């Protein structure tokens, strides 16, 4: 049987594989055709805890999309779920009325946008109550590279979100979402997954971590233990670059905000990452970077 | 009879008129004389929900004041209420002792300040407990234009705040404020009012929205669905301008912080706005921009 | 007998002395040797309220350390407590494995780092659950001056943190920390201490206030009543300088974030300071600057 609360001492089951946090490359071409299929699936979200998530393409977060300024995206949304769902891409500007409308199970719609501005943009289900649809797994990130973004040796994407557990293998509990009582706060959909299976990097090599805070409710204060951020980009602007004398210890992200940080781990070792809102770190918003 | 909790399905009564969110123009002259009369009034704050608000000039938020750098303000505060009240203008620097002192019912004081710095500044009652006085309606905004602020086609002011309901037609509940249990989160004092009576704009025209987060307790993560902010100004500084390659999806405002965002809706339609802290959006911190 | 909740009307006992908030000067030399001795001590944290704090050198916050970019720090941590403790300095970059490991009572370790980047950096106990160790007093600040930081007439350091009271003279309550129910929010470890014994400044002279938000959980929205911040530096970057036309009313700091603000009080008087999250100001995150 499966638990409906998080046991911080439990270990993931044998065969557990953490979500690959590697940032996808910018695909070739200037038109990106993507199919997003809404699927309601039972998934483990913490050791021994299963929930019936509402997802884009079977995972929560949904896939990370990426492109350049000027790229066109043509997204086909297919509702293979049992209730209405829809979609909202922050990465493009358009009248919401038609593309963000909820569609019935079995229906599809095509959502076209051109990405004219850089940043890491949230996408999420657009069906009311959005608190429930985001809170039960329907969110993801679109990265539009700033011009002349330098290549780095290691580049990851982490999406922070909250979990409000319902009964075993059932959807998340809307009442808990309304009461702001999260059972867990997680990166990429699973409590502490990168503590079990760390991200990797190499001493002396630059690491970029893209962050999106999907919420639905809480802020993030992202921090890497042992590291300093000599580069910070958030909500469409550079805030710090390596040639400046200061650095940052925290990237503060409101719900639906995003950005990236960069650091160069100075030596091999294990560098934990957390939101420094410690109650959320203890709830599962923590992981590890294993530096060789 | 009147409810003491919010019914998200209710509609405002016939004859409801949303507060005009249009930003006032900068008045002529360099000395602005304003009378702020404290009035304790019963007002509807959500469909079917009335509260006894403490107000400046009968509305919550109080009037939006505006001026230029260097302007002098002479504010006469008159306490027509039943308890002590006072005032505190963030827009000017001065020793608080005399101008911010609480005054008895029936008394008045004159508060003089010169606005030497640009921004959107909070004002609020200065009487203890300020949590109660701000939480029961005593707040407003002073806009001091940055030099060379461009004219835009549509310019609005939204003040986010929380409602902690007391009994029908009574003041807000201090215990709920202390327990951080808001019944509603609202723009310009009434739950979801611009969902019922939208702001308006035109496709291809620039819209500027000034935001002040009056709190008293919660942060705001302002977002316009379907839009991107190519211009962001917050807490006295430009953060993004249209010629930059990035844009923002969220304006993150701590309690008592303020700024503005700009966007150009690309096509006609209905563009919702929210705080993307979704629990607060569901509590009433949402509205609509109708783009012709 | 001692209380286990805060009485906002109580006064500190005779002989109470507020913690000196004066920023220490940058010491001579480029190698700073510091001894941090973990001591578990009973301390008053509000009038009539005593807690068994876990501290660095007997006070919470621990000592403020200061240096220049390029300085080396050699910190000897000695665990004179009854349980494991450790330390984590955000001010330096290094592999956490050995220097941040928990050490047994009676043990010591040496933690060496070089400060290559400017900012106000948190340090804290590194032992799990960090929520409890930070929440029970184990935090402090390291200031690394930005190059060419101007001298100012008055320079203070305030660390905001939360208190979650346990029984009289016992450690803070972990369950309250997990439930996010703080009994108090304080600057420099004692509720409203600078309301009883104000900071001092002089009219027309520049005041710099360094801020670190130690959390463990809540954001800070630092504000000085009657003042405007013409200078803001946060998380390693200048955000506002005096020659700019705008100014700030709030410094928004996520947990573990830090910075400084500057203001020039225009005239003698009493200028309160608060976090403008009013519920936290009422919980004790308030004080006074007495301007002569
Ligand atoms: Cu959905
Ligand atoms: Cu830390
Ligand atoms: Cu008042
Ligand atoms: Cu959204
Ligand atoms: Cu400790
Ligand atoms: Cu104020
Ligand atoms: Na750390
Ligand atoms: Na925030
Ligand atoms: Na949206
Ligand atoms: Na912020
Ligand atoms: Na104030
Ligand atoms: Na914040
Ligand atoms: Zn849905
Ligand atoms: Zn339907
Ligand atoms: Zn490598
Ligand atoms: Zn009042
Ligand atoms: Zn009186
Ligand atoms: Zn128009
Ligand atoms: Zn410890
Ligand atoms: Zn041990
Ligand atoms: Zn002086």
């Amino acid at each position: 049987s499966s638990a409906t609360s998080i046991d911080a001492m439990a270990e993931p089951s044998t065969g557990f594989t953490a979500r690959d946090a590697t940032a996808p490359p910018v695909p070739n071409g200037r038109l990106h055709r993507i199919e997003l299929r809404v699927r309601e699936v039972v998934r483990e979200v913490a050791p021994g805890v299963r929930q019936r998530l509402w997802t884009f393409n079977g995972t929560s977060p949904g896939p990370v999309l990426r492109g350049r300024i000027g790229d066109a995206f043509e997204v086909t949304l297919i509702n293979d779920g049992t209730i209405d769902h829809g979609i909202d891409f922050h990465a493009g500007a358009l009248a919401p009325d038609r593309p963000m409308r909820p569609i019935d199970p079995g229906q599809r719609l095509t959502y076209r946008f051109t990405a004219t501005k850089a940043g890491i943009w949230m996408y999420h289900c657009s069906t009311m109550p959005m608190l429930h649809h985001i809170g039960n797994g329907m969110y993801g990130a679109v990265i539009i590279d700033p011009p002349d973004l330098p290549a780095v040796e290691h580049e990851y994407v982490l999406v922070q979100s909250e979990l409000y557990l319902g009964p075993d293998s059932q959807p998340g509990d809307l009442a808990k979402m309304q009461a702001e009582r999260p059972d867990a706060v997680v990166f990429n959909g699973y409590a502490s997954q990168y503590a079990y299976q760390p991200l990797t990097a190499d001493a002396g090599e630059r690491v970029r971590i893209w962050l999106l805070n999907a919420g639905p409710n809480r802020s993030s204060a992202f921090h890497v233990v042992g590291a300093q951020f000599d580069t910070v980009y958030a909500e469409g602007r550079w805030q710090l670059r390596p040639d400046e004398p200061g650095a940052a210890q925290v990237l503060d992200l409101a719900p639906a905000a995003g950005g990236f940080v960069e650091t160069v781990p100075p030596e091999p070792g294990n560098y934990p990452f957390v939101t420094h809102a410690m109650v959320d770190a203890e709830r599962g918003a923590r992981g590890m970077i294993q530096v060789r």
Side-chain angles (χ1 to χ4, degrees), chain A residues 146-202:
Chain A
D148 308 318
L149 182 71
V152 291
E153 282 89 355
H154 297 271
E155 193 181 28
Y156 293 109
V157 185
L158 297 175
V159 182
Q160 181 175 317
S161 69
E162 302 128 36
L163 290 169
Y164 302 84
L165 298 180
D168 178 32
S169 302
Q170 293 302 310
D173 185 327
L174 178 58
K176 285 183 181 174
M177 297 173 198
Q178 291 166 332
E180 301 177 72
R181 294 212 186 87
D183 295 288
V185 181
V186 301
F187 291 115
N188 288 349
Y190 190 101
S192 308
Q193 65 182 314
Y194 304 111
Y196 308 120
Q197 296 185 4
L199 306 182
T200 56
D202 293 277

Side-chain angles (χ1 to χ4, degrees), chain A residues 6-57:
Chain A
I6 308 289
D7 176 358
M9 295 294 102
E11 296 275 320
S13 49
T14 314
F16 169 77
T17 303
R19 178 190 169 108
D20 185 358
T22 306
V26 179
N28 291 324
R30 308 307 302 265
L31 168 62
H32 310 294
R33 287 203 177 84
I34 297 109
E35 185 181 278
L36 287 184
R37 199 172 279 268
V38 177
R39 296 178 51 206
E40 304 175 0
V41 295
V42 174
R43 289 278 179 270
E44 196 172 77
V45 295
V49 178
R50 286 189 297 264
Q51 291 283 285
R52 185 169 189 83
L53 301 176
W54 304 332
T55 74
F56 295 108
N57 287 359

Side-chain angles (χ1 to χ4, degrees), chain A residues 38 54 83-86 125-127 133 138:
Chain A
V38 177
W54 304 332
I83 60 172
D84 282 23
H85 297 286
C125 183
S126 58
T127 295
H133 288 252
M138 301 191 77

Side-chain angles (χ1 to χ4, degrees), chain A residues 71-154:
Chain A
D71 285 8
F73 289 76
E74 186 183 290
V75 180
T76 302
L77 179 74
I78 304 165
N79 187 353
D80 281 350
T82 62
I83 60 172
D84 282 23
H85 297 286
I87 195 158
D88 171 355
F89 283 97
H90 294 188
L94 44 65
D97 307 71
R98 285 191 55 79
M100 298 189 197
R101 74 184 185 278
I103 59 171
D104 288 329
Q107 301 230 294
R108 65 174 58 205
L109 66 71
T110 303
Y111 190 117
R112 289 181 184 84
F113 66 91
T114 299
T116 61
K117 290 287 188 176
I120 175 167
W121 301 94
M122 188 172 174
Y123 67 87
H124 58 82
C125 183
S126 58
T127 295
M128 297 287 190
M130 284 193 286
L131 175 59
H132 204 189
H133 288 252
I134 297 171
N136 199 41
M138 301 191 77
Y139 56 83
V142 178
I143 296 174
I144 305 301
D145 283 19
D148 308 318
L149 182 71
V152 291
E153 282 89 355
H154 297 271

Side-chain angles (χ1 to χ4, degrees), chain A residues 54-71:
Chain A
W54 304 332
T55 74
F56 295 108
N57 287 359
T59 66
S60 173
V64 177
L65 310 183
R66 192 162 190 178
R68 293 178 191 82
I69 292 176
D71 285 8

